[in-house]
Amino acid sequence: MKQMKQLIDRIISRVNVNLSEFDFDTESFVTNSIDYEKLLKFYAFYGITSRHPLYFHFKNSNVAGSYFLGKCYVGRSAIYKSDVRGDELKRKGDNIRCAKNIPLVEDEMITIRDSLLYKTLVHSNSHNLESPEQFGIHNTISAHYVNIHGTTLEGCFLGPFATVDLMNLHSCIVGEFSYVQAGELFHRKIDPGTVWVRSPNFEFKYKFKKDILDNFVGVNSSYQPRGIIYDFVKEREQDYEKLFDVMNLEPIKAPDSSAVNRYAVVQGKINIGENVLVAQRAFLDNAVMGDGSNAQENTYIIHSKLAEKCITAHGGKIIHADIGLETFVGFNAFLNGKPDARIEIGEGCIVMPHTIIDSDSPIKIPAEHLIWGFIGSEEDIKNHTIALDDLAEVRDTLRIGKMVFTGKGSVFIDAFRRRINQILLTNGALFHKGEERGHAQDDQNISFNIIQPYRTGERNGLYPSIRITP
């Protein structure tokens, strides 16, 4: 255990150096999060398919309870109950689109070095043109239920339930429950509860009121999470641990064109349509998954119905709700309906990442609307939604409540729709007669393999240095 503790101390010191200008010390977070006995308790596992290149090299690292798929490297890091999913990495010969196409000379790899990722999801591929063949996470600490999606990081701290999406961060702090997709940021501190999407043609910005945010996702003095959303997740953790205690499980019944991951929780009455993807650590309980819909990692679909081609992005939670055709529910959204107060979202809606809907009365939002922020009653709908047709007319600045949008609304909508279509394509929702394969088809025959740490000696808790190549 001695080397394990030295590893953790080294990570803390490296991150703290990068964040010294903010007078920010990560030690209290790590000290209060890490239970060294748990780093011994859980095995790590990796998936193998004929469609994903393999490359794992664990050196002086702990990867307890974590899942790997695709070409990944971990060195001098601690990764606890995290998912590192490299099934969308770029391949040798692909071209990176920019002013002049850049061809890749080797397969892209996820590289995690000198970092602590705690119950974190890593997915997609790098959008950093400086290192197109490396999706890098270096000198970084991420807290509970963070999404690192296509974002390279160097010297950062990400608070609980934060999401960084399709960008590059250098020496930054991202507060709890913030969603940031803003290109490249250097030496920035993002306030908790900030939802910020920026491109050359538009900018969307919203910030939760502190009292509302604290109720749903707050942190204590050592950045440990608390609040309604954290309690919701915590109450269901044991259901996931049962999956790790059993080597073989009966497969969930699903059409031949759909994939239900062996490490997803599926209980109650379930109806799974064609071309459906249910990823690892998804949670389904009395759920209807329409054709082409998906439940990505860390999503919860409970007493709810998703129509065809619905997307539930990483960490989205849908409870007692009916979601319309081709609706997008963004990262870490929390749609918390009640048995006698269901949430109804019309078809073609875009639920922005980190949206919270939690009302004791029914909530109904018409088709083709953008939805954001906090909706706690019917009265909140008017200040937290807009018809997509009305948004498309915006050419300058739009202010609705605490949301500020600048730029061209039509470009914003088009960008979102393109991304939604790409997600559907990548996930296999559009599969037909052998064409347009995606994750729902490619992930049906994953074989899982486990790895365990040293149980005794100085390296107690560390995983063997092992290389697994194609």
Side-chain angles (χ1 to χ4, degrees):
M1 194 65 77
K2 178 181 177 182
Q3 288 190 18
M4 183 68 208
K5 291 181 178 179
Q6 288 175 343
L7 167 68
I8 298 295
D9 289 343
R10 184 166 61 244
I11 293 169
I12 291 170
S13 64
R14 284 175 179 263
V15 179
N16 283 351
V17 166
N18 281 272
L19 299 177
S20 58
E21 66 189 283
F22 300 110
D23 193 27
F24 187 82
D25 187 355
T26 62
E27 184 172 7
S28 61
F29 166 77
V30 176
T31 300
N32 287 279
S33 296
I34 295 297
D35 180 339
Y36 287 95
E37 293 304 315
K38 287 185 177 180
L39 298 183
L40 287 172
K41 179 180 179 182
F42 299 107
Y43 59 80
F45 57 109
Y46 61 92
I48 291 179
T49 80
S50 61
R51 296 178 176 271
H52 301 110
L54 281 174
Y55 182 105
F56 300 109
H57 185 179
F58 308 112
K59 188 172 183 181
N60 297 322
S61 297
N62 179 283
V63 290
S66 297
Y67 168 60
F68 296 87
L69 177 65
K71 200 167 184 179
C72 309
Y73 165 83
V74 177
R76 300 191 303 269
S77 295
I79 305 178
Y80 176 70
K81 286 190 176 181
S82 295
D83 294 326
V84 182
R85 183 179 149 195
D87 53 357
E88 293 183 13
L89 295 173
K90 300 183 288 291
R91 298 289 184 88
K92 179 180 178 180
D94 288 350
N95 283 309
I96 310 302
R97 293 182 180 179
C98 56
K100 189 174 182 180
N101 283 350
I102 303 172
L104 267 66
V105 296
E106 57 186 39
D107 291 333
E108 182 184 9
M109 183 188 302
I110 295 175
T111 301
I112 302 169
R113 185 179 291 119
D114 299 312
S115 295
L116 166 65
L117 308 185
Y118 191 90
K119 296 183 180 179
T120 292
L121 170 69
V122 181
H123 187 223
S124 191
N125 54 68
S126 169
H127 286 64
N128 188 344
L129 295 177
E130 296 176 2
S131 55
E133 287 127 343
Q134 185 183 119
F135 180 173
I137 300 170
H138 302 152
N139 302 333
T140 288
I141 293 175
S142 62
H144 308 62
Y145 306 109
V146 163
N147 295 311
I148 301 174
H149 191 264
T151 295
T152 58
L153 298 158
E154 186 172 3
C156 296
F157 176 82
L158 310 179
F161 293 94
T163 298
V164 287
D165 191 15
L166 309 182
M167 56 185 298
N168 312 307
L169 294 175
H170 309 267
S171 300
C172 292
I173 298 173
V174 180
E176 63 272 14
F177 204 65
S178 286
Y179 172 89
V180 186
Q181 184 194 149
E184 191 163 25
L185 296 180
F186 297 84
H187 302 268
R188 294 286 295 269
K189 187 174 183 180
I190 308 299
D191 290 337
T194 298
V195 180
W196 183 20
V197 181
R198 182 182 67 181
S199 86
N201 296 302
F202 57 78
E203 182 175 49
F204 175 102
K205 206 159 190 181
Y206 175 88
K207 184 178 174 182
F208 282 86
K209 293 180 179 178
K210 187 178 186 304
D211 58 335
I212 291 173
L213 182 63
D214 283 349
N215 192 35
F216 286 92
V217 180
V219 294
N220 62 21
S221 59
S222 60
Y223 281 83
Q224 305 304 306
R226 55 176 173 74
I228 292 171
I229 295 178
Y230 177 68
D231 292 343
F232 172 89
V233 173
K234 190 73 175 175
E235 287 169 7
R236 291 159 178 81
E237 277 192 344
Q238 281 193 330
D239 292 312
Y240 287 103
E241 292 191 8
K242 293 174 185 175
L243 298 176
F244 290 84
D245 292 335
V246 180
M247 291 300 296
N248 297 302
L249 291 172
E250 285 293 321
I252 302 299
K253 291 182 180 179
D256 291 341
S257 63
S258 298
V260 180
N261 192 278
R262 176 255 185 268
Y263 288 98
V265 174
V266 180
Q267 58 191 32
K269 187 176 180 181
I270 301 294
N271 189 322
I272 295 174
E274 299 281 348
N275 299 343
V276 168
L277 173 68
V278 180
Q280 78 278 1
R281 292 195 222 270
F283 188 109
L284 270 58
D285 184 3
N286 290 313
V288 175
M289 302 292 294
D291 293 349
S293 61
N294 68 56
Q296 298 178 17
E297 291 88 344
N298 300 323
T299 61
Y300 296 76
I301 315 293
I302 299 175
H303 301 300
S304 294
K305 180 178 180 180
L306 275 61
E308 293 181 15
K309 298 178 184 176
C310 282
I311 294 170
T312 311
H314 309 296
K317 300 161 187 68
I318 301 173
I319 307 103
H320 291 292
D322 301 296
I323 309 299
L325 180 72
E326 295 186 13
T327 284
F328 174 84
V329 178
F331 295 89
N332 275 337
F334 186 57
L335 310 187
N336 190 30
K338 314 296 188 303
D340 56 351
R342 289 183 73 84
I343 296 169
E344 183 178 340
I345 308 290
E347 67 179 60
C349 285
I350 298 172
V351 181
M352 288 292 289
H354 294 224
T355 294
I356 297 174
I357 303 178
D358 188 15
S359 172
D360 291 328
S361 58
I363 295 294
K364 184 175 182 178
I365 297 174
E368 300 288 329
H369 273 64
L370 183 74
I371 305 160
W372 68 86
F374 173 70
I375 296 176
S377 67
E378 256 190 284
E379 293 180 357
D380 291 329
I381 294 175
K382 64 182 179 182
N383 282 328
H384 296 88
T385 69
I386 185 174
L388 295 180
D389 285 346
D390 292 338
L391 179 57
E393 297 299 318
V394 175
R395 296 289 183 272
D396 189 8
T397 300
L398 172 71
R399 297 177 183 271
I400 302 178
K402 291 176 65 65
M403 186 276 286
V404 179
F405 179 90
T406 57
K408 295 181 179 180
S410 59
V411 177
F412 175 83
I413 295 168
D414 288 345
F416 242 109
R417 282 180 169 156
R418 284 197 305 273
R419 186 168 185 188
I420 289 169
N421 287 336
Q422 182 60 41
I423 292 171
L424 291 172
L425 178 64
T426 303
N427 283 333
L430 308 181
F431 177 71
H432 182 65
K433 294 184 178 180
E435 300 293 329
E436 310 292 7
R437 291 181 66 91
H439 300 320
Q441 295 76 45
D442 294 342
D443 292 3
Q444 292 170 6
N445 297 309
I446 296 178
S447 64
F448 294 101
N449 303 267
I450 68 171
I451 318 168
Q452 298 196 45
Y454 291 103
R455 296 290 177 179
T456 59
E458 280 195 346
R459 287 181 287 181
N460 186 17
L462 297 179
Y463 279 65
S465 297
I466 181 171
R467 176 169 293 179
I468 307 170
T469 56

